[in-house]
């Protein structure tokens, strides 16, 4: 374990000791897996030789990087639904059809960062009178790099905007200390790159100053920090890091780094898929007979109108292995204004399914719509397989 | 490398401890073995798709563990600690474990991978899909939160 600048921090040390004890408390790693794999593979060879199944290409879904911004799960133009079937009365099951997997490329949606930096565009720039700086306790009291959080609190009620890196001058008894102070540029926004930040009443902004105080030679007493915020001429002063110390022979002084101003609570943008809002249910605790397909039903419900374009694949896993199929979208009874099959929001749609149960019972009989994150439409059950009567 | 059952065994064996640790963090130590078994089955089936140029084997395997753990039906809540295996844990360990459980999901993930699974920053970054600098920042933020939580507990 290395590369972490906080490695001498007391919390870091506590975590290391604790996790060493935790790892020691785990049971021994079992060596059952490889034996089980060999047994499973031998039986699959027997099944493959005896079965007359259709060979299907195992599908893996790739998510396209083409993006439309907007709310979660919304990547396609809004659908104007005209239900071919009345969504208030249950439609018949979508019949089973052994369609090959097509490995479609699904569109993705980017959920914007929160708060969205674009929302700061029309907000006025902050002035010195708008803000009060409060210094939190510096982390790393046991040594190593210390991190000093500085909060920017709105003094009035009218929100204002900041963007950029504060200028920090470390002082010792009124004199500027001979330290290099650099912008922290390591990492994505908001810690390594400035984002437009709105300061509101009850929603402060923050930035952190880091300094390896225990590895900074020669010894210096940093009693104050003078801070000039981006776009504001007047400076503020807060208490500094205190006295530095170092081990003999260490080079110094250590560089002090400054993060950009950022929201206190920031969630990065992430990608999602319209299928992330689909849930799958079904009773998959089944009994089957060797050599005969097992029938079951999967119900899909989408949290929003979801055109089934492109038509997704799904995967079924039994003791015969994991196989992918194309969903029978053409037989879905609901059509939108563009005559595309779709899942109406909140309406359960039942799909008849069949699967080759394989030669043996399977404790994890699994149906899943798509394998890749963020789609989680999965149903898991058990499959008891009995020999065919003689 | 010719891919046979024996070569898969040899290839995967060094990474079994990391897989076990990660599964234990995701779903609890009692169900971890089952998740690891499922992950090994899937890894063996998809071994031909692994491309060493795209990342370390352990990261590929841990991603499969994560996927399998998410699909695992949980018959009981994941315990903070495995109470069926008596472990002499100090009160401080319990406080720290409770504090870790209160981190945000991203912070918890970074702490799990870096400290509990014992991955390096590059491996954590690859698994979390972010830059190494982001991992360091996330770990730092997590330690700040843990410090505050532990001080509250005193």
């Amino acid at each position: 374990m290395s590369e972490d600048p906080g490695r001498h921090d007391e919390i870091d040390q506590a975590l290391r000791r604790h996790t060493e004890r935790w790892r020691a408390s785990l049971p021994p790693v079992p060596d059952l897996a490889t034996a089980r794999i060999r047994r499973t593979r031998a039986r699959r060879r027997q099944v493959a030789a005896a079965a007359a199944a259709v060979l299907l290409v195992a599908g893996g879904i790739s998510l396209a990087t083409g993006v439309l911004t907007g709310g979660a799960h919304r990547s396609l133009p809004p659908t104007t639904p005209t239900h071919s079937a009345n969504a208030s009365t249950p439609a018949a099951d979508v019949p089973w059809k052994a369609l090959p997997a097509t490995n479609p490329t699904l569109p993705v949606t980017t959920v914007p960062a929160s708060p969205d930096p674009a929302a700061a565009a029309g907000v006025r720039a902050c002035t010195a009178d708008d803000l009060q700086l409060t210094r939190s306790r510096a982390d790393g009291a046991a040594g190593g790099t210390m991190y000093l959080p500085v909060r920017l609190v709105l003094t009035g009620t009218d929100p204002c905007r900041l963007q950029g890196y504060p200028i920090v001058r470390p002082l010792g008894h009124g004199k500027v200390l001979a330290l290099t102070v650099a912008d922290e540029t390591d990492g994505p926004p908001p810690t390594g790159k400035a984002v437009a930040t709105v300061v509101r009443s009850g929603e402060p902004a923050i930035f952190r100053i880091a300094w390896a105080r225990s590895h900074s030679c020669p010894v210096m007493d940093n009693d104050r920090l003078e801070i000039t915020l981006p776009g504001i001429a007047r400076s503020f002063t807060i208490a500094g890091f205190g006295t530095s110390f170092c081990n003999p022979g260490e080079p110094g002084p250590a560089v002090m780094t400054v993060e950009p101003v950022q929201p206190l609570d920031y969630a990065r943008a992430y990608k999602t898929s319209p299928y992330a809002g689909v849930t799958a249910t079904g009773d998959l605790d089944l009994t089957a007979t060797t050599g005969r397909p097992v029938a079951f039903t999967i119900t899909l419900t989408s949290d929003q109108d979801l055109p089934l374009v492109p038509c997704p694949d799904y995967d079924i896993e039994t003791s015969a292995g994991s196989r992918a199929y194309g969903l029978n979208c053409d037989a879905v009874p609901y059509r939108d204004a563009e005559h595309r099959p779709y899942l109406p929001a909140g309406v359960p749609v039942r799909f008849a399914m069949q699967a080759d149960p394989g030669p043996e019972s399977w404790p994890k009989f699994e149906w899943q719509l798509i394998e890749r994150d963020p789609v989680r439409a999965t149903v898991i059950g058990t499959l008891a397989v009995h020999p065919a009567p003689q | 490398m010719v891919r046979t059952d024996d070569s898969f065994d040899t290839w995967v064996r060094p990474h079994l401890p990391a897989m076990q640790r990660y599964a234990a963090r995701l779903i609890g130590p009692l169900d971890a073995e089952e998740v690891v078994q499922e992950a090994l089955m899937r890894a063996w089936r998809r071994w031909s798709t692994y491309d060493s140029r795209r990342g370390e084997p352990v990261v590929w395997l841990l991603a499969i563990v994560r996927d399998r753990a998410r699909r695992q039906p949980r018959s009981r809540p994941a315990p903070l600690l495995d109470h069926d295996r008596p472990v002499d844990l100090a009160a401080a360990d319990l406080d720290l474990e409770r504090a870790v459980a209160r981190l945000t999901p991203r912070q918890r993930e970074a702490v799990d991978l870096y400290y509990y699974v014992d991955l390096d920053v590059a491996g954590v970054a690859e698994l979390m899909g972010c830059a190494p600098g982001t991992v360091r920042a996330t770990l730092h933020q997590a330690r700040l939160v843990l410090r505050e939580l532990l001080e509250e507990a005193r």
Side-chain angles (χ1 to χ4, degrees):
Chain A
M1 218 184 292
S2 61
E3 310 168 46
D4 179 10
R7 60 185 179 274
H8 300 302
D9 174 276
E10 67 181 14
I11 297 294
D12 170 84
Q13 291 170 0
L15 279 165
R16 289 171 189 274
R17 291 191 294 268
H18 168 69
T19 53
E20 272 181 37
R21 290 192 288 270
W22 178 84
R23 286 193 290 272
S25 75
L26 292 176
V29 176
D31 199 14
L32 305 172
T34 53
R36 178 175 170 176
I37 289 172
R38 287 199 184 92
R39 286 196 301 273
T40 303
R41 185 166 183 177
R43 286 178 181 155
R44 284 182 181 159
R45 285 199 195 101
Q46 295 169 6
V47 170
V54 176
L55 182 65
L56 298 172
V57 175
I61 308 301
S62 64
L63 298 178
T65 54
V67 165
L68 294 173
T69 58
H73 316 320
R74 205 175 302 136
S75 69
L76 299 173
T79 293
T80 305
T82 57
H83 299 179
S84 304
N86 187 338
S88 64
T89 57
D93 291 0
V94 176
W96 156 255
K97 195 171 182 182
L99 297 171
T102 61
N103 195 13
T105 299
L106 297 184
V108 296
T109 302
T110 292
V111 178
S114 174
D116 189 349
V123 179
R124 67 179 181 88
C126 295
T127 66
D129 291 334
D130 289 321
L131 301 171
Q132 179 184 26
L133 269 63
T134 62
R135 174 196 186 281
S136 298
R137 178 184 164 184
D139 173 46
T145 300
M146 294 184 70
Y147 296 87
L148 197 159
V150 182
R151 288 196 181 197
L152 309 176
V153 179
L154 191 69
T155 56
T157 57
D158 189 17
C160 64
R161 170 181 50 84
L162 284 168
Q163 182 171 1
Y165 289 83
I167 297 172
V168 175
R169 294 207 310 166
L171 305 176
H173 304 290
K175 295 182 181 177
V176 179
L177 298 176
L179 286 177
T180 299
V181 183
D183 294 341
E184 174 61 74
T185 56
D186 188 10
T191 53
K193 185 177 178 184
V195 298
T197 302
V198 177
V199 187
R200 303 176 195 276
S201 180
E203 295 179 27
I206 194 172
F207 65 94
R208 294 175 188 87
I209 308 169
W211 189 37
R213 192 189 74 162
S214 67
H215 301 283
S216 187
C217 293
V219 171
M220 298 180 183
D221 184 13
N222 168 225
D223 60 348
R224 306 294 294 172
L225 291 165
E226 182 185 272
I227 297 171
T228 306
L229 296 172
I232 297 177
R234 196 205 314 168
S235 60
F236 302 81
T237 58
I238 58 174
F241 284 89
T243 304
S244 72
F245 51 98
C246 62
N247 296 317
E250 281 187 302
V255 173
M256 189 177 284
T257 58
V258 183
E259 289 181 354
V261 174
Q262 57 199 270
L264 180 61
D265 296 308
Y266 185 86
R268 290 175 57 196
Y270 64 93
K271 289 183 169 52
T272 184
S273 159
Y275 288 91
V278 174
T279 55
T281 57
D283 182 4
L284 259 61
D285 292 320
L286 304 170
T287 302
T289 303
T290 306
R292 298 176 190 171
V294 58
F296 56 98
T297 302
I298 292 293
T299 300
L300 298 181
T301 308
S302 175
D303 63 350
Q304 60 179 309
D305 290 340
L306 178 61
L308 295 171
V309 176
C311 186
D313 292 342
Y314 62 92
D315 193 80
I316 297 178
E317 184 170 333
T318 67
S319 68
S322 177
R323 292 181 181 168
Y325 302 84
L327 197 66
N328 192 5
C329 296
D330 287 344
V332 169
Y334 302 104
R335 290 290 185 274
D336 63 11
E338 297 173 51
H339 205 67
R340 299 175 297 182
Y342 84 112
L343 301 179
V347 176
V349 179
R350 289 163 53 96
F351 291 79
M353 294 281 164
Q354 285 186 14
D356 169 12
E360 61 182 5
S361 297
W362 200 242
K364 194 66 70 66
F365 179 36
E366 183 174 329
W367 185 100
Q368 55 185 1
L369 181 62
I370 297 172
E371 187 173 326
R372 291 277 298 273
D373 223 10
V375 182
R376 308 275 178 87
T378 302
V379 185
I380 298 173
T382 58
L383 182 62
V385 179
H386 302 292
Q390 298 299 319
Chain B
M1 176 177 62
V2 175
R3 301 193 177 202
T4 64
D5 284 349
D6 286 339
S7 56
F8 179 79
D9 288 356
T10 304
W11 183 78
V12 79
R13 193 175 301 277
H15 309 301
L16 285 176
M19 296 173 72
Q20 182 201 38
R21 292 170 198 161
Y22 194 30
R25 292 304 296 170
L26 292 173
I27 201 164
L30 298 176
D31 295 321
E33 180 181 333
E34 184 175 351
V35 167
V36 171
Q37 294 277 3
E38 293 287 326
L40 287 170
M41 292 287 287
R42 185 155 289 255
W44 169 68
R45 281 199 293 267
R46 296 178 186 273
W47 195 31
S48 61
T49 68
Y50 170 68
D51 183 352
S52 59
R53 291 168 298 181
R54 292 172 59 187
E56 292 296 316
V58 68
V59 174
W60 186 74
L61 290 165
L62 292 181
I64 297 174
V65 168
R66 180 173 56 193
D67 177 73
R68 292 289 97 187
R70 282 173 179 165
R71 301 176 194 283
Q72 180 80 356
R74 188 167 290 171
S75 57
R76 52 198 155 174
L80 281 179
L81 299 163
D82 181 354
H83 295 293
D84 291 342
R85 286 180 57 85
V87 177
D88 184 18
L89 284 182
D93 278 332
L94 292 172
D95 285 345
L96 189 51
E97 197 64 45
R98 290 191 188 102
V100 169
R102 292 175 62 184
L103 294 173
T104 66
R106 288 288 281 181
Q107 291 168 352
R108 166 86 191 258
E109 186 179 12
V111 167
D112 279 351
L113 290 169
Y114 185 73
Y115 287 102
Y116 288 86
V117 179
D118 202 17
L119 282 188
D120 60 15
V121 170
V124 175
E126 198 178 336
L127 206 52
M128 292 181 65
C130 62
T134 305
V135 170
R136 287 192 286 269
T138 304
L139 287 171
H140 160 62
Q141 289 163 5
R143 285 192 293 263
L144 283 178
V145 172
L146 289 173
R147 172 180 294 277
E148 289 184 9
L149 291 172
L150 290 172
E151 285 178 355
E152 281 175 16
R154 287 188 192 127

